[in-house]
Amino acid sequence: MGNINLWDAELNKEYTVENIFLENPISRRLEALGINEGTPVCVLTRKKSGALIVKIRGTRLALGKHITSNIEIKEVTK
Amino acid sequence: MREHPNGFHVAFVGNPNCGKTTLFNAITGARLKVANWPGVTVEKKEGTVEFEDEKLILIDTPGIYSLSTYTIEEKVTRNCILDDDIEVIVNVVDASSLERNLYLTLQLLELGKPIVMALNMMDVVEERGMEIDMHRLPEMLCDIPIVPVSAIKKRGLDILLHAIIHHKEAVTLGEVFSYSDDLEDKIKKLEVIMGAKYPNHSSARWHAIKLLEDDEEVSEEHPVDVSRIVDKSYSRQIIQAKYSYIDDIIKECLFNKSAKEAGTDRIDAILTHPVFGVPCFLIIMALVFLLTFTLGDWIKGFLEIFLEWLQQVVSTLFDSAHVAVWLKGLVVDGIIAGVGGILTFLPNIIILFIALAVLEDSGYMARVAYVMDGIMGKLGLSGKAFLPMILGFGCTVPAVMATRALETPKDRRRTMLITPFMSCSARLPIYVLFSGLFFGKWAAVVSFSMYVLGILVALATAFVANLFDKKKNKNNLLIELPEYKRPNLRSIRIYVWNKVKDYLTKAGTTIFIASIIVWFALNVGPKGFVLEPVYSFAAIAAKVIAPVLKPCGLNMWEVVVALFAGVSAKEVVVTSFTVLFSNAVNGASLYDSIKSVYPSFSAANALALMVFCLLYTPCLATIATIRKESESIKFTLLSILFQIGVAFAMSALVFNIARLFVG
């Protein structure tokens, strides 16, 4: 267990994506961008509105609240 | 596409922001047709180049992440490369973010067409101390030729062209890696079924995989009954298999990953800061307009002196040649005053476009979507909708086209409705002229306030539209933020030159013709040529409408003529004014001649006029674009009516408030 929402992630900490609970067009687009189960992800900045900038597969993505609150992540245990 | 019988077609395909267009420009040189808003290229472009006695027709496509068809860009690109005319695909790959770029590569390889990889941005890779195993990488990618290039420094271009020519016959093996046994089994079966039904079909494996992904377009174009094999969508398994193969490639081919990319993070710490992000953006935009108005107006002064001199010279010339008075009037007061007057605004416009190009090229523009996401979210739009709005400062036509990047048709229409309120560069001459005439040292502030007002009206419109919207939008912002880079002089030059060329073309065509029509409309009346414009057809018609504009302080037939003419292009409002109050090109005498006809025309009237011009019906080109992009005449007509209504209400409001102060 220990899964949290991407939106709740601590800044600059390593996580892996566990689950994506999004409706189809968006979830497929995310998958095409390489956001899949097991993908390492790291949150760089966060806004009050819920938008995040994440680093994923070597690039930065800005994601809105609906997306960030529907992706489940797990902390990487070293 | 058939006009070059001897050339062969090469498509440039790659992720957004991988330097595809820069590479395309570097190879085709001056033959480039249209400038590019990076990431917002919405249509394919062609250029030709000759190399080793072969003629290549290069096609630049919109940047995409995958060959699915969720966005319009993906559809354009996919249809383009599936076309049998395309003989070679050049996959442009940003070497500095290999991991993400390879996903598209794997999909392209499955197509089975000849592919050459242009590994761009190798200089960035070296700078960061990363290393790519150039022997292992092609081995893992069906042995396609991989050519390291630098589009910005123009390196490796000949080698790339050579590789394209020598590789066009080669057919890449469709199987770059194997999926799970279960999936492979299904793919083989589907290939057999497809082969039986469509024997001439190329890239059977790709289509089989797309059928497994439950791709709508493929199953529509090539209907086959595969329900026994495709019992559900296998898209997730297929995507994950591709990414796990990419993981293998990265492990074997890329070394010293993420050694240093701190620069972008450091800049982002300020520019995308949760609190300072928005103020930073506002300061940047304020600087852009400050430069546009102050520096631009200074240079404009010299051009005006030149224009006045030209008018005098031509006038004297015509007098000495005894040219008919009406012809002299048409040339000097109609054409030189009209078209020439427009050209004096070129400095302002060049500066504005340079600034926008720098913002684009540096990588900041994508951040604006993130920075503005909170505010836009409250208005029911994604932060991404702010990008077309900023493009609208340049020209509304590409801005309306840029709404294609938005996810839903509803978002697109709403953004199309508000984008014309963003003050485009064609409206700039109107502000510069009238604020210069009536506001003296406050001219720059007044001009700038028009831009602010435009933004506020646009945001308010979105807010109201959202209030009435029952099904609220979810915040689905999804945009890639590229690394910051120093703006490339060449790209900026190409970009600005294209815009200047458009402006000059417009001055030479639309505005030129409109100036002549306006001149005739003002100089011909029921009894032939008239001495005073008051007796002209235009005046007679305009006087009927003029009283309607009384609440705005604009109940003058000259204003009505100018506003009507301005629908052809907004600059024509200015040319019409200079033609209407003829013998008045430079500021002072235009002021005098307006005052001599309408002594009560004050700063308040001028302000109301500027507001009206800011908000009323956009130009014909924009209307046509909105019609094309919204695919609805009803929506287009409603938005025009709405804009006129808003213009009327706002200018009446501004006029009556301003009158309290100006008297």
Side-chain angles (χ1 to χ4, degrees):
Chain A
M1 288 303 284
N3 288 0
I4 55 167
N5 276 341
L6 179 57
W7 155 239
D8 294 315
E10 269 177 60
L11 296 186
N12 300 313
K13 204 167 179 177
E14 292 263 330
Y15 295 90
T16 54
V17 174
E18 288 299 303
N19 275 306
I20 299 173
F21 304 106
L22 285 157
E23 57 280 14
N24 216 336
I26 311 165
S27 78
R28 279 212 195 174
R29 293 199 72 183
L30 290 174
E31 283 165 3
L33 285 165
I35 305 181
N36 297 296
E37 278 160 48
T39 309
V41 57
C42 170
V43 177
L44 297 176
T45 46
R46 180 206 315 274
K47 285 182 68 150
K48 262 195 281 178
S49 67
L52 299 177
I53 297 181
V54 299
K55 195 178 259 182
I56 207 154
R57 293 196 187 270
T59 46
R60 291 170 187 77
L61 294 176
L63 302 173
K65 171 123 192 209
H66 177 62
I67 295 176
T68 57
S69 51
N70 283 292
I71 295 179
E72 235 176 43
I73 52 165
K74 196 171 85 179
E75 203 174 313
V76 175
T77 41
K78 297 251 165 82
Chain B
M1 295 255 279
R2 299 285 176 195
E3 71 225 84
H4 313 285
N6 303 319
F8 70 96
H9 292 87
V10 181
F12 280 52
V13 183
N15 283 181
N17 278 311
C18 67
K20 208 167 358 73
T21 304
T22 318
L23 184 65
F24 182 83
N25 288 352
I27 294 174
T28 57
R31 270 164 287 215
L32 176 103
K33 285 177 191 159
V34 196
N36 183 14
W37 301 90
V40 203
T41 311
V42 282
E43 247 137 38
K44 58 179 190 185
K45 286 143 205 168
E46 271 187 39
T48 57
V49 67
E50 268 175 56
F51 191 79
E52 293 176 355
D53 301 325
E54 291 267 13
K55 193 167 177 189
L56 284 72
I57 298 152
L58 308 183
I59 297 150
D60 188 21
T61 60
I64 51 167
Y65 294 109
S66 77
L67 286 182
S68 50
T69 51
Y70 300 125
T71 62
I72 298 169
E73 289 96 325
E74 284 177 354
K75 276 182 199 156
V76 171
T77 303
R78 178 163 139 175
N79 290 340
C80 170
I81 54 181
L82 285 179
D83 192 323
D84 287 336
D85 274 356
I86 301 295
E87 283 158 88
V88 180
I89 294 172
V90 175
N91 178 208
V92 186
V93 165
D94 175 357
S96 66
S97 73
L98 201 55
E99 201 175 341
R100 180 189 24 91
N101 279 250
L102 284 177
Y103 179 70
L104 182 63
T105 309
L106 292 186
Q107 288 190 309
L108 292 172
L109 283 169
E110 281 169 351
L111 276 174
K113 284 198 178 189
I115 292 182
V116 175
M117 184 190 285
L119 201 54
N120 194 19
M121 313 216 188
M122 283 303 281
D123 39 340
V124 181
V125 170
E126 280 160 28
E127 229 172 75
R128 287 200 207 144
M130 284 151 67
E131 280 176 291
I132 295 174
D133 185 340
M134 293 299 287
H135 292 285
R136 189 69 186 115
L137 188 59
E139 270 177 26
M140 296 187 79
L141 294 170
C142 299
D143 281 316
I144 56 167
I146 297 183
V147 184
V149 296
S150 168
I152 290 176
K153 293 178 183 160
K154 295 193 184 186
R155 281 198 204 131
L157 304 187
D158 284 354
I159 304 173
L160 179 66
L161 287 174
H162 185 82
I164 294 170
I165 288 166
H166 282 261
H167 201 63
K168 67 174 170 181
E169 305 296 333
V171 172
T172 318
L173 208 66
E175 200 172 323
V176 51
F177 72 102
S178 298
Y179 294 93
S180 68
D181 291 347
D182 179 40
L183 280 178
E184 282 296 336
D185 186 45
K186 284 180 188 293
I187 292 168
K188 293 278 146 35
K189 280 182 188 155
L190 287 170
E191 275 185 82
V192 173
I193 295 173
M194 287 290 283
K197 191 153 185 202
Y198 305 99
N200 298 326
H201 200 276
S202 61
S203 53
R205 183 178 167 86
W206 185 79
H207 278 84
I209 292 168
K210 280 288 155 199
L211 284 174
L212 273 182
E213 287 183 342
D214 202 16
D215 184 283
E216 276 173 22
E217 257 182 46
V218 166
S219 31
E220 266 170 36
E221 276 168 33
H222 301 283
V224 274
D225 180 29
V226 290
S227 53
R228 279 182 307 118
I229 304 163
V230 189
D231 47 354
K232 59 167 188 160
S233 168
Y234 288 88
S235 101
R236 186 167 279 189
Q237 283 96 315
I238 288 168
I239 291 173
Q240 284 184 349
K242 285 205 176 87
Y243 269 108
S244 77
Y245 186 64
I246 292 171
D247 285 340
D248 292 347
I249 298 176
I250 297 297
K251 266 183 216 129
E252 291 203 32
C253 302
L254 188 65
F255 302 97
N256 296 330
K257 203 174 119 186
S258 74
K260 59 170 185 187
E261 44 187 12
T264 293
D265 288 338
R266 266 204 304 275
I267 301 173
D268 265 349
I270 304 162
L271 291 182
T272 64
H273 188 275
V275 179
F276 305 127
V278 175
C280 282
F281 168 68
L282 294 179
I283 291 170
I284 289 171
M285 288 320 284
L287 274 177
V288 166
F289 289 112
L290 194 72
L291 263 180
T292 305
F293 294 122
T294 51
L295 186 63
D297 285 357
W298 181 70
I299 305 172
K300 180 171 162 284
F302 295 103
L303 287 177
E304 278 171 348
I305 294 169
F306 170 75
L307 196 70
E308 228 178 307
W309 171 83
L310 186 72
Q311 256 184 319
Q312 272 166 6
V313 168
V314 173
S315 197
T316 328
L317 211 70
F318 277 22
D319 283 344
S320 59
H322 303 292
V323 175
V325 180
W326 71 268
L327 186 61
K328 182 189 144 196
L330 174 65
V331 173
V332 176
D333 301 327
I335 297 170
I336 299 182
V339 177
I342 278 308
L343 295 184
T344 58
F345 297 99
L346 208 50
N348 302 88
I349 282 159
I350 290 176
I351 293 169
L352 178 67
F353 278 121
I354 289 175
L356 286 177
V358 169
L359 290 184
E360 281 283 345
D361 208 44
S362 62
Y364 179 64
M365 214 57 124
R367 266 90 184 166
V368 175
Y370 171 76
V371 167
M372 295 302 289
D373 188 61
I375 295 170
M376 297 301 281
K378 289 192 180 71
L379 309 174
L381 283 168
S382 127
K384 239 176 167 174
F386 207 72
L387 300 183
M389 291 169 69
I390 297 183
L391 301 195
F393 286 140
C395 173
T396 320
V397 171
V400 168
M401 286 168 76
T403 60
R404 289 184 184 191
L406 298 171
E407 275 83 13
T408 67
K410 191 174 79 181
D411 283 14
R412 292 196 61 203
R413 283 203 177 180
R414 207 177 278 177
T415 312
M416 270 186 241
L417 184 67
I418 63 176
T419 300
F421 291 137
M422 306 303 281
S423 184
C424 71
S425 60
R427 280 167 259 185
L428 192 149
I430 305 174
Y431 314 145
V432 173
L433 178 73
F434 286 98
S435 64
L437 291 180
F438 290 91
F439 290 92
K441 63 177 175 163
W442 296 103
V445 180
V446 171
S447 297
F448 181 65
S449 70
M450 286 301 126
Y451 284 81
V452 177
L453 181 68
I455 298 172
L456 291 179
V457 170
L459 296 181
T461 305
F463 180 74
V464 173
N466 191 41
L467 278 185
F468 288 105
D469 189 9
K470 293 194 183 69
K471 199 170 151 276
K472 298 280 185 250
N473 275 350
K474 290 171 181 156
N475 189 333
N476 285 334
L477 175 70
L478 171 57
I479 189 169
E480 191 192 353
L481 308 179
E483 303 259 324
Y484 285 110
K485 65 181 178 76
R486 193 177 307 125
N488 176 243
L489 269 182
R490 196 184 138 77
S491 340
I492 291 177
R493 204 183 61 217
I494 290 176
Y495 175 86
V496 173
W497 172 235
N498 272 295
K499 297 293 167 188
V500 170
K501 218 163 53 185
D502 284 350
Y503 188 77
L504 291 178
T505 316
K506 196 159 69 162
T509 53
T510 317
I511 297 173
F512 176 76
I513 293 166
S515 298
I516 293 177
I517 293 174
V518 169
W519 189 86
F520 272 107
L522 289 173
N523 285 277
V524 181
K527 293 171 192 158
F529 276 102
V530 291
L531 289 174
E532 289 288 321
V534 190
Y535 306 112
S536 67
F537 282 125
I540 294 165
K543 275 176 192 162
V544 180
I545 305 171
V548 178
L549 291 177
K550 191 157 195 301
C552 316
L554 299 175
N555 49 333
M556 288 149 259
W557 67 267
E558 288 93 338
V559 171
V560 175
V561 171
L563 291 177
F564 261 98
V567 177
S568 62
K570 290 275 171 105
E571 298 96 331
V572 175
V573 172
V574 168
T575 59
S576 305
F577 252 87
T578 42
V579 173
L580 277 158
F581 299 95
S582 52
N583 302 324
V585 182
N586 70 341
S589 59
L590 180 60
Y591 180 83
D592 289 341
S593 55
I594 292 175
K595 277 288 190 189
S596 69
V597 186
Y598 297 103
S600 67
F601 195 95
S602 67
N605 302 68
L607 199 62
L609 179 63
M610 283 189 260
V611 172
F612 200 93
C613 289
L614 164 71
L615 302 171
Y616 88 115
T617 319
C619 67
L620 285 176
T622 304
I623 294 172
T625 312
I626 293 177
R627 150 87 191 85
K628 187 165 152 252
E629 295 293 321
S630 68
E631 294 172 349
S632 161
I633 296 177
K634 193 176 147 212
F635 172 80
T636 311
L637 290 177
L638 281 178
S639 67
I640 292 172
L641 283 179
F642 172 71
Q643 280 142 358
I644 295 178
V646 170
F648 184 81
M650 285 304 292
S651 68
L653 184 71
V654 167
F655 175 63
N656 285 295
I657 294 174
R659 221 162 33 157
L660 300 177
F661 297 96
V662 189

